[in-house]
Amino acid sequence: MTDERMALIELVEKQADGDLVREMLAFAAERIMEAEVEVRTGATKGARTPMREVQRNGYRDRDWDTRAGRIALEIPKLRKLLPKLPRTTPHRREGARGDDPGSLCSRHLDALGR
């Protein structure tokens, strides 16, 4: 384990390979975050499922400081979905009195009833 760690540190210390190591770390971190989000949402990115309880809600930018240098990450944001309530009656526009959908409010009419 320490030999592997020392080899990684030596790779990071070389400037030309530092970019490669940062790119590899960024790629691995993005893949791990995507896998975690897929587990939480129950669906892959762009897929629709009826049993979904969590939905993606964009990304937030975050810098990750490592021995290889600073890595810019896009961390997925999630939000809980509200339960869908069944509709018992179709929605209709109610009038001014509430009982008749075609009633008019008298204060919106002029003297001629328009």
Side-chain angles (χ1 to χ4, degrees), residues 50-105:
M51 302 304 293
R52 179 178 282 202
E53 294 180 4
V54 179
Q55 181 177 358
R56 291 173 182 261
N57 191 22
Y59 294 90
R60 66 171 190 232
D61 295 327
R62 189 69 59 158
D63 289 335
W64 182 28
D65 292 324
T66 65
R67 289 185 182 180
R70 182 167 288 182
I71 299 171
L73 296 176
E74 288 184 340
I75 300 173
K77 293 192 296 185
L78 301 175
R79 67 175 175 181
K80 284 192 169 199
L81 294 176
L82 297 174
K84 292 186 178 180
L85 301 174
R87 287 189 174 180
T88 56
T89 59
H91 290 336
R92 62 185 178 94
R93 184 176 173 192
E94 294 182 357
R97 292 184 303 210
D99 56 348
D100 181 20
S103 67
L104 297 173
C105 183

Side-chain angles (χ1 to χ4, degrees), residues 6-22 67-69:
M6 293 303 292
L8 181 62
I9 291 172
E10 288 174 9
L11 259 175
V12 170
E13 289 174 352
K14 295 180 183 177
Q15 182 62 18
D17 293 329
D19 292 336
L20 176 65
V21 172
R22 277 192 296 277
R67 289 185 182 180

